[in-house]
Amino acid sequence: MRKIIIAGNWKMHKTKGDAEALAYSIKEKTKPRENVEMVLFPPFTSLESVGKILQDSFILLGAQNMFYEKEGAFTGEISPVMLKAVGCKYVILGHSERRKYFQESDELINRKLHSALEEGLIPILCVGETLEEREGGKAEEVVETQVKNGLKNWEGKREVIIAYEPVWAIGTGRTATPEIASKMHYFIREILKELVGELSQEISILYGGSVKPDNVDELMKEEEIDGVLVGGASLKVDSFVRIYNFSF
Ligand code: PEP
């Protein structure tokens, strides 16, 4: 059985105090669920303090990005070693906002992925097409390229999570229908099968893009959707708690 992940990506929101308050309230209002992991991704400035709040709970910690070197003269960057030291288990790589605003290429993302794996972090590799690419009939081609390049030289020995996040659905209020998402997840699993054979059945594939309390249940009913990566709706306690308490 693949594990289910409910992930909250806080992006560049919440000062340290606000992040701590949010993490604390989420912790107070949730209980462990069988085979479901909750992971919070605060900004770097509150990773350590949120990590301390989550320490005695079932909730896990992740980072929104990292650089591939362990240390060195890379002003402004954060290394996987630093993330491990503050208790991160996961790291998001290749989010579409990183690809768009910081020109992150598949090659760079692949270097980060290997570095994360070497340090014992579980990368969540984000892939997804733009509206233009979907309307041009290129959605599958784009996703296939991102998955194959992002996972280049990965042999399946260490855990990786994939997040399918169609760019046209992120922060737009426009969610992919469960059918669209499920079809792409199935397609991604076929690519994974090509890469690592039967191991592909064990890799969780999350959906991300305007997931809200009122659409999470129908998305989670799809067999191919193994969890959700949530942006906007993870910033409010009640909506994120409701998403975490999805029903199949
Ligand atoms: C995201 O940031 O990964 C995301 C899916 O954002 P939102 O839920 O706001 O669309």
Side-chain angles (χ1 to χ4, degrees), residues 2 7 41 57 76 86 108 133 135 141 144 156 158 176 200 211 241:
R2 288 190 291 269
F41 294 82
S57 80
V86 291
L108 175 74
E133 288 160 346
E135 287 177 347
E141 185 186 320
E144 181 169 1
R158 293 185 174 135
S200 59
V211 174
V241 168

Side-chain angles (χ1 to χ4, degrees), residues 32-85:
R33 290 186 69 175
E34 205 187 330
N35 199 39
V36 182
E37 282 191 357
M38 185 202 288
V39 195
L40 301 181
F41 294 82
F44 290 136
T45 48
S46 34
L47 273 177
E48 184 172 13
S49 59
V50 166
K52 282 189 180 140
I53 291 169
L54 303 181
Q55 223 164 32
D56 60 345
S57 80
F58 70 95
I59 306 171
L60 300 166
L61 187 70
Q64 300 173 21
N65 180 34
M66 53 165 255
F67 191 52
Y68 54 74
E69 294 287 355
K70 288 184 188 149
E71 63 175 356
F74 303 103
T75 303
E77 293 297 323
I78 301 280
S79 85
V81 179
M82 294 166 179
L83 298 181
K84 280 290 283 185

Side-chain angles (χ1 to χ4, degrees), residues 4 216-222 225-228 246-248:
I4 289 171
V216 66
D217 295 346
E218 54 172 9
L219 287 161
M220 290 303 297
K221 280 193 179 79
E222 296 291 330
I225 299 182
D226 306 314
V228 286
F246 68 91
S247 53
F248 288 101

